[in-house]
Amino acid sequence: MEKGINKRSALMILTAGSFLTPFMGSSVNIALPSIGKEFAMDAVLLTWVSTSFLLGAAMFLVPFGRIADLYGRKRIYTYGIMLYTLAALLSGISVAPWMLISFCILHGIGSSMIFGTGVAIITSIFSAGERGRALGIQVSCVYLGQSLGPFLSGLLIEYWGWRSIFLINVPIGFVILTMILCKLKGEGVGASGESFDLP
């Protein structure tokens, strides 16, 4: 990453991204009864709403981590926030079960791009002496998102319906994206010149 980067701003951007994914993962489970009622989904199909998000995140985590090393961590992180925000919007306006499940997969892929690069960017920005504190703050935000997800999503669903847990991510995503473009400098290529090992 470039020298002269504002470390505090960078950490704020990266921790905000780290909050979103576990928040969404724990929020979806709270929304399942409301989603099932609106779409008349059976238990098996309803399970795919939360499973599709987790599968998308798990399957693409390692590949996007490697792609970020090859082509730029900031670039993949930025694309991840963009995809996450778009998928949140599309999930929130879904009108059929297959649409919601498909967009939850995209949501998970966007999450993998965020998670697969966030820690790598932190380690490239902060020196060895500062890294432990920065990673501690980042991990705290992960668990904060996971802990607050059920509580906040319960409030959102109670007053604004299940779609609100997806749509609330849209303005947050835009704020993070704006901060990335204004504050986060450099690309953080860690394996320039190497190839992507597809197998």
Side-chain angles (χ1 to χ4, degrees), residues 16 56 151 163 196:
F151 172 71
R163 295 176 188 276
F196 181 78

Side-chain angles (χ1 to χ4, degrees), residues 141-163:
C141 284
V142 171
Y143 285 106
L144 189 64
Q146 198 168 19
S147 302
L148 289 178
F151 172 71
L152 293 179
S153 62
L155 289 176
L156 290 169
I157 292 164
E158 177 70 23
Y159 293 105
W160 293 289
W162 67 265
R163 295 176 188 276

Side-chain angles (χ1 to χ4, degrees), residues 47-116:
T47 302
W48 274 103
V49 175
S50 56
T51 303
S52 60
F53 175 82
L54 294 173
L55 279 176
M59 287 172 59
F60 290 93
L61 184 63
V62 173
F64 275 118
R66 179 60 175 164
I67 290 169
D69 283 341
L70 295 172
Y71 302 108
R73 293 167 185 159
K74 177 190 168 185
R75 179 177 299 163
I76 299 302
Y77 190 84
T78 305
Y79 291 158
I81 293 291
M82 291 170 68
L83 181 59
Y84 183 96
T85 305
L86 176 63
L89 175 62
L90 294 173
S91 297
I93 60 173
S94 295
V95 294
W98 67 267
M99 288 178 68
L100 181 59
I101 291 169
S102 300
F103 296 142
C104 280
I105 293 172
L106 283 181
H107 218 164
I109 294 171
S111 298
S112 73
M113 296 168 80
I114 295 167
F115 246 84

Side-chain angles (χ1 to χ4, degrees), residues 14 19 23 28 40 42 46 49 55-57 66-68 72 98 120 123 125 134 137 140-141 155 158-159 167 196:
L14 297 166
F19 176 89
F23 174 79
V28 169
D42 59 36
L46 198 58
V49 175
L55 279 176
R66 179 60 175 164
I67 290 169
W98 67 267
T123 56
I125 291 173
I137 292 170
S140 297
C141 284
L155 289 176
E158 177 70 23
Y159 293 105
L167 297 177
F196 181 78

